[in-house]
């Protein structure tokens, strides 16, 4: 049943760079954290884009819905300070009073636990197919004792956009961590709704009573019904979470607290809580919790996703937020093995290291285990690559001064030490050697970190190009072929490749002069300095101010379908707009001509295309934008960008992985 969740990251959840190529810019729609988790910057940008659309001339009711929800997430996860009541008031003035969007905004804006329900019901009546209401409806049905209706709407929620595989697997193992006929108190959406879905849709652990602590404490009617069913005295006043555990314990049923809810009972004595896996059993007498953890791990839990997580994505980040709760029980098992000098759980350390790496808790785990960080060894003894071959692909960049902008001042001047830089972007073939070496070593957790995200290349193009014959559209080869730049990988993946290449080079006894080297991503100043190739203020790597030569041929691979304010000179301010249909056809006709100008560059092209600059570097502008040391920061522009982004020194922030972005590496000798 987990397979149904594999499509949990539809294209709409990712910032849609292809919108630059369409005639209307439509921001990425709001997606709740039950299905995807982005960083705060993403929600900040999303809220700003929806605000522009909602308050502009092309406003729609749905735009106001997305504006309100993304503003809420910007406040919650990012740096936003949006006045949500004011947004709701403005929506009242322009939106259909009987429509879905305004009624949902009313529901979200109303903080009264009971008065808000009519709005979610009205929204659902207005458009029963709008899945954004399903989570709210599930809560409404739960607190009103309508279990069948709750189960049905959760099924519809999952069908509309499946809950991520990792979240489903986590909730399965959370239910398994509860003893027979137990009560499980959960904390949030991601540890509650999937558990209800598993029980209702798949018959998993239907003996467990799953109650959400916030709903139980927030709704008197709901609490009274649950307490009555458990033969507990009904209370008008909401008990504290600790009191709730003590009351539930009086029923005689085993009582468990989801590990995600542990902060709710921070003042409870640890001697009353016993870790049994992904839940904590409340008990006033000792419990053999280590035996329970060992049994769950060896016999009961499903760990496919934990062993082989999906590639880096918002859905995976959501799963990892939950997966960090595996660390305490896994560490218990590892320490049990260490004490007994046995190997009952041989895979457990690899799982600990994999989870810790994905959630950035390596240091905390090592400190807990009283171990020192060991260098991560990636390269095998037979990586399929020699130091001499690596060195052949490097260009020497002499040291000097990099001037940012047109004025030479201390503030705009950076001293750049000499270094080596890869002549071309790292290609698919180069990167494949790295992945194959990891695969031979069965380093599956690292392979996941280094994975290339899938790309629907045709979806990134406008309709005018999408219908071209393949041999015309991909005249220079498919973007996934060997000599094209590797793109759509994470910043972490590029860092792993740099470490692997360093180890491959340094373990070769025939390396140049027997010296050790280090590879890393460049700084933005190093990239710009190398791109200029000794020309202090050149706007492009080829030195001139134009992006076409005298024959009208393009000098780099960039998005020629974006109209610039000054098309011959590059970007000089103002707003870029997509070319109109007639202009698209004209550009298409121009590129169809069989002459020296036909570069075939609708998508990526081979990494050694076009002429190199005076340092011997290819595609320092265009083709693939290139990562820097700072995560999310890219330089050089790409096949998806206009001429402005190609200018030297322009930095563009992108959510990685992205089909526009690859990388090349700096190398220098070390003592």
């Amino acid at each position: 049943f987990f397979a149904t969740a594999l499509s949990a990251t539809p294209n709409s959840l990712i910032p849609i760079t292809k919108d630059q190529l369409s005639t209307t810019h439509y921001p990425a729609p709001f997606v709740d954290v039950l299905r995807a988790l982005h960083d705060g910057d993403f929600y900040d940008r999303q809220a700003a884009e929806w605000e522009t659309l909602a308050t502009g001339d092309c406003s729609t009711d749905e735009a106001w819905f997305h504006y309100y929800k993304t503003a809420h997430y910007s406040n919650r996860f990012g740096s936003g300070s949006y006045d949500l009541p004011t947004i709701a008031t403005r929506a009242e003035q322009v939106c259909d009073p009987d429509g879905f969007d305004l009624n949902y905004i009313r529901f979200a804006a109303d903080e009264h636990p009971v008065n808000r329900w009519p709005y979610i019901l009205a929204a659902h009546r207005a458009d029963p197919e709008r899945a954004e209401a399903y989570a709210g409806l599930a809560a409404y049905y739960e607190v009103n004792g309508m279990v069948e209706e709750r189960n049905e709407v959760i099924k519809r929620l999952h069908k509309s956009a499946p809950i991520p595989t990792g979240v489903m697997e986590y909730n399965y193992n959370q239910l398994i961590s509860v003893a027979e006929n137990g009560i499980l108190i959960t904390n949030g959406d991601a540890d509650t709704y999937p558990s209800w879905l598993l029980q209702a849709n798949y018959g998993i652990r239907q003996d467990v009573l799953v109650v959400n602590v916030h709903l139980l404490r927030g709704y008197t009617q709901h609490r009274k019904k649950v307490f009555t069913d458990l033969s507990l005295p009904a209370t008008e006043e909401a008990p504290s979470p600790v009191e709730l555990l003590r009351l539930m314990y009086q029923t005689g049923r085993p009582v468990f607290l989801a590990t995600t809810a542990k902060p709710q009972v921070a003042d409870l004595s640890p001697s009353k809580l016993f870790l049994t896996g992904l839940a904590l059993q409340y008990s006033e007498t000792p419990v053999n919790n280590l035996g329970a953890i060992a049994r769950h791990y060896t016999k009961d839990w499903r760990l496919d996703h934990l062993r082989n997580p999906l590639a880096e994505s918002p859905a995976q980040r959501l799963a990892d937020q939950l997966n960090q709760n595996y660390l305490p029980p896994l560490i218990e098992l590892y320490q049990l093995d260490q004490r007994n000098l046995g190997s009952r759980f041989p895979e457990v350390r690899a799982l600990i290291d994999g989870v810790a790496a994905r959630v950035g808790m390596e240091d905390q785990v090592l400190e807990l285990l009283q171990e020192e960080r060991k260098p991560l060894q990636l390269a095998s003894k037979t990586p399929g690559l020699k130091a001499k071959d690596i060195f052949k692909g490097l260009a020497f960049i002499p040291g000097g001064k990099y001037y940012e902008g047109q004025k030479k001042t201390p503030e705009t001047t950076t001293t750049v030490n000499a270094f080596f830089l890869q002549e071309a972007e790292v290609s698919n073939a180069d990167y494949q050697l790295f992945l194959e070496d990891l695969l031979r070593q069965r380093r599956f957790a690292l392979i996941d970190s280094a994975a290339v995200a899938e790309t629907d290349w045709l979806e990134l193009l406008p309709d005018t190009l999408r219908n071209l014959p393949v041999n015309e559209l991909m005249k220079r080869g498919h973007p996934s072929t060997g000599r094209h730049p590797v793109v759509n990988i994470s910043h972490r993946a590029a860092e792993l490749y740099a470490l692997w290449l360093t180890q491959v080079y340094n373990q070769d006894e025939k390396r140049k002069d027997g010296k050790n080297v280090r590879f890393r991503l460049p700084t933005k100043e190093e990239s710009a300095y190398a791109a200029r190739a000794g020309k202090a203020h050149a706007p492009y790597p080829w030195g001139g101010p134009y992006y076409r030569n005298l024959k009208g041929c393009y000098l780099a691979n960039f998005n020629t379908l974006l109209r610039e304010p000054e098309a011959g000179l590059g970007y000089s301010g103002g707003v870029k707009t997509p070319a109109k249909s007639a202009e698209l056809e004209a550009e298409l006709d121009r590129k169809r001509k069989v002459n020296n100008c036909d570069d075939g560059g609708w998508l990526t092209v081979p990494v050694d295309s076009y002429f190199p600059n005076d340092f011997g570097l290819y595609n320092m502008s265009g083709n693939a934008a290139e990562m820097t040391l700072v995560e999310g920061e890219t330089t050089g522009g790409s096949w998806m960008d206009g001429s402005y982004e190609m200018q030297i020194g322009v930095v563009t922030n992108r959510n990685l992985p992205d089909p526009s972005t690859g990388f090349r590496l700096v190398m220098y000798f070390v003592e």
Side-chain angles (χ1 to χ4, degrees):
F1 56 79
F2 295 144
T4 61
L6 287 176
S7 61
T9 314
N11 292 337
S12 63
L13 305 192
I14 302 170
I16 307 175
T17 314
K18 69 177 180 182
D19 282 341
Q20 295 175 321
L21 302 175
S22 65
T23 56
T24 301
H25 179 68
Y26 196 74
F30 165 78
V31 176
D32 61 46
V33 291
L34 184 59
R35 297 183 179 89
L37 179 63
H38 295 270
D39 58 31
D41 288 344
F42 171 82
Y43 295 118
D44 290 343
R45 290 193 300 273
Q46 200 179 30
E49 290 178 347
W50 279 111
E51 179 180 16
T52 299
L53 188 59
T55 59
D57 294 337
C58 298
S59 177
T60 63
D61 287 11
E62 190 172 355
W64 279 98
F65 165 83
H66 289 299
Y67 174 29
Y68 185 91
K69 294 296 288 183
T70 55
H72 170 61
Y73 271 37
S74 177
N75 290 353
R76 180 180 174 187
F77 298 108
S79 59
S81 56
Y82 289 94
D83 186 341
L84 298 179
T86 297
I87 297 175
T89 299
R90 295 176 67 188
E92 289 277 1
Q93 298 168 358
V94 296
C95 295
D96 178 3
D98 298 320
F100 175 93
D101 302 287
L102 183 56
N103 275 292
Y104 188 97
I105 292 172
R106 289 166 173 166
F107 164 73
D110 194 328
E111 297 181 358
H112 192 280
V114 177
N115 293 348
R116 65 201 307 249
W117 291 130
Y119 297 130
I120 196 70
L121 296 174
H124 183 57
R125 285 195 301 270
D127 191 344
E129 301 304 316
R130 287 284 292 273
E132 297 98 325
Y134 293 164
L137 282 171
Y140 169 77
Y141 292 138
E142 169 69 6
V143 301
N144 284 280
M146 304 166 69
V147 177
E148 291 185 6
E149 290 83 352
R150 182 204 70 184
N151 291 343
E152 185 60 34
V153 79
I154 290 174
K155 292 176 186 178
R156 294 184 67 182
L157 180 150
H158 184 54
K159 185 177 181 180
S160 66
I163 298 169
T165 308
V167 176
M168 293 290 288
E169 184 178 88
Y170 180 93
N171 276 260
Y172 178 92
N173 293 337
Q174 177 181 262
L175 286 171
I176 294 297
S177 301
V178 178
E180 185 178 356
N181 199 37
I183 300 170
L184 174 64
I185 301 174
T186 58
N187 187 55
D189 292 357
D191 68 346
T192 304
Y193 293 144
S195 289
W196 286 339
L197 176 68
L198 287 167
Q199 292 179 319
N201 214 33
Y202 305 106
I204 305 298
R205 293 304 307 271
Q206 292 178 328
D207 60 300
V208 176
L209 173 63
V210 178
V211 289
N212 181 276
V213 64
H214 301 289
L215 297 181
L216 201 62
R217 296 186 67 239
Y219 293 90
T220 304
Q221 179 182 349
H222 175 50
R223 185 170 61 254
K224 286 181 176 180
K225 182 180 187 310
V226 172
F227 278 22
T228 299
D229 291 345
L230 294 172
S231 300
L232 290 172
T235 60
E236 290 291 337
E237 186 175 347
S240 71
V242 173
E243 292 170 340
L244 190 59
L245 285 174
R246 290 172 179 155
L247 284 169
M248 294 289 190
Y249 187 69
Q250 295 175 14
T251 66
R253 294 177 65 170
V255 179
F256 291 79
L257 183 74
T259 51
T260 50
K262 189 176 181 182
Q264 299 283 341
V265 295
D267 55 345
L268 180 64
S269 171
S271 63
K272 301 290 181 67
L273 291 175
F274 298 86
L275 184 66
T276 60
L278 297 180
L280 297 144
Q281 183 171 0
Y282 175 83
S283 178
E284 296 177 2
T285 59
V287 171
N288 178 19
N289 62 312
L290 282 180
I293 295 172
R295 183 177 67 256
H296 297 326
Y297 175 75
T298 56
K299 295 182 178 180
D300 304 329
W301 277 354
R302 297 187 175 186
L303 296 169
D304 292 343
H305 184 272
L306 197 66
R307 292 188 181 103
N308 301 299
L310 299 174
E312 177 66 18
S313 68
Q316 181 58 44
R317 283 195 290 275
L318 173 61
D320 285 338
Q321 282 285 102
L322 294 170
N323 288 344
Q324 60 186 309
N325 293 298
Y326 280 103
L327 289 174
L330 293 178
I331 288 172
E332 289 277 12
L333 294 181
Y334 177 73
Q335 291 178 327
L336 179 63
D337 250 7
Q338 297 298 103
R339 289 194 298 271
N340 295 335
L341 301 177
S343 57
R344 292 177 59 198
F345 318 110
E347 189 189 17
V348 73
R349 183 55 193 268
L351 285 176
I352 291 171
D353 291 342
V355 173
R358 290 198 300 277
V359 299
M361 296 183 66
E362 300 101 319
D363 291 336
Q364 294 94 317
V365 168
L366 291 173
E367 183 178 353
L368 183 63
L369 298 178
Q370 297 182 335
E371 297 179 1
E372 294 182 2
R373 183 186 288 274
K374 298 176 182 178
L376 183 62
Q377 180 61 39
L378 295 180
S380 70
K381 296 299 181 182
T382 56
L385 189 61
K386 299 294 185 183
K388 65 177 182 180
D389 299 317
I390 298 172
F391 197 81
K392 284 180 183 177
L394 298 169
F396 177 69
I397 312 299
K401 303 285 187 182
Y402 168 64
Y403 304 108
E404 184 176 356
Q406 300 298 315
K407 295 182 179 180
K408 299 180 183 180
T409 67
E411 292 75 22
T412 62
T413 302
T414 302
T415 299
V416 179
N417 296 322
F419 60 94
F420 289 86
L421 185 64
Q422 290 179 312
E423 293 176 345
E425 300 145 339
V426 173
S427 69
N428 289 310
D430 298 329
Y431 198 75
Q432 185 66 22
L433 290 175
F434 165 53
L435 294 178
E436 289 173 353
D437 196 26
L438 293 180
L439 183 60
R440 284 193 296 270
Q441 301 173 69
R442 302 180 65 80
R443 307 289 292 275
F444 298 121
L446 290 170
I447 290 173
D448 172 70
S449 297
V452 180
E454 291 187 10
T455 304
D456 188 338
W457 294 98
L458 292 182
E459 280 297 312
L460 298 174
L461 294 172
D463 293 339
T464 309
L465 299 182
R466 204 176 299 164
N467 298 322
L468 284 176
V470 172
N471 62 347
E472 186 173 348
L473 181 60
M474 300 182 183
K475 191 171 185 177
R476 304 297 302 278
H478 192 279
S480 65
T481 53
R483 291 305 299 161
H484 284 244
V486 63
V487 295
N488 224 8
I489 64 169
S490 67
H491 193 266
R492 163 84 168 154
E495 292 177 327
L496 289 173
Y497 178 83
L499 177 59
W500 175 81
L501 200 64
T502 297
Q503 293 171 353
V504 170
Y505 190 100
N506 290 340
Q507 71 187 19
D508 190 338
E509 296 180 355
K510 296 182 180 180
R511 62 190 181 277
K512 186 175 179 63
D513 301 328
K515 293 182 178 179
N516 285 343
V517 303
R518 182 190 170 197
F519 285 90
R520 62 164 170 79
L521 289 165
T523 66
K524 64 180 180 181
E525 291 82 8
E526 287 170 335
S527 289
Y529 176 79
R532 279 193 175 145
K535 297 177 174 64
H537 300 294
Y540 298 111
W542 44 89
Y546 303 98
Y547 48 69
R548 296 189 194 186
N549 63 17
L550 293 176
K551 295 182 179 180
C553 302
Y554 290 115
L555 296 170
N557 180 23
F558 66 103
N559 185 359
T560 61
L561 302 182
L562 288 176
R563 294 184 295 173
E564 309 284 359
E566 294 184 19
L569 297 174
Y571 189 68
S572 62
V575 179
K576 293 181 296 182
T577 58
K580 295 179 180 179
S581 179
E583 293 169 320
L584 291 175
E585 292 291 350
E587 178 65 11
L588 187 57
D589 289 341
R590 191 195 68 76
K591 284 210 171 189
R592 279 178 172 147
K593 294 177 181 177
V594 182
N595 57 34
N596 293 332
C597 294
D598 186 13
D599 61 9
W602 293 118
L603 300 166
T604 63
V605 296
V607 296
D608 55 357
S609 300
Y610 305 96
F611 290 106
N613 72 0
D614 288 352
F615 281 163
L617 304 171
Y618 292 89
N619 291 302
M620 288 300 288
S621 286
N623 209 26
E626 297 181 16
M627 302 180 204
T628 72
L629 268 177
V630 178
E631 185 169 0
E633 183 182 86
T634 69
T635 63
S638 77
W639 66 274
M640 300 181 78
D641 299 313
S643 61
Y644 168 68
E645 286 84 359
M646 289 203 308
Q647 291 186 86
I648 295 170
V650 172
V651 173
T652 304
N653 292 312
R654 305 175 198 261
N655 287 322
L656 301 178
D658 191 285
S660 71
T661 304
F663 69 104
R664 76 177 78 207
L665 299 175
V666 163
M667 188 208 81
Y668 55 90
F669 290 101
V670 296
E671 295 296 332

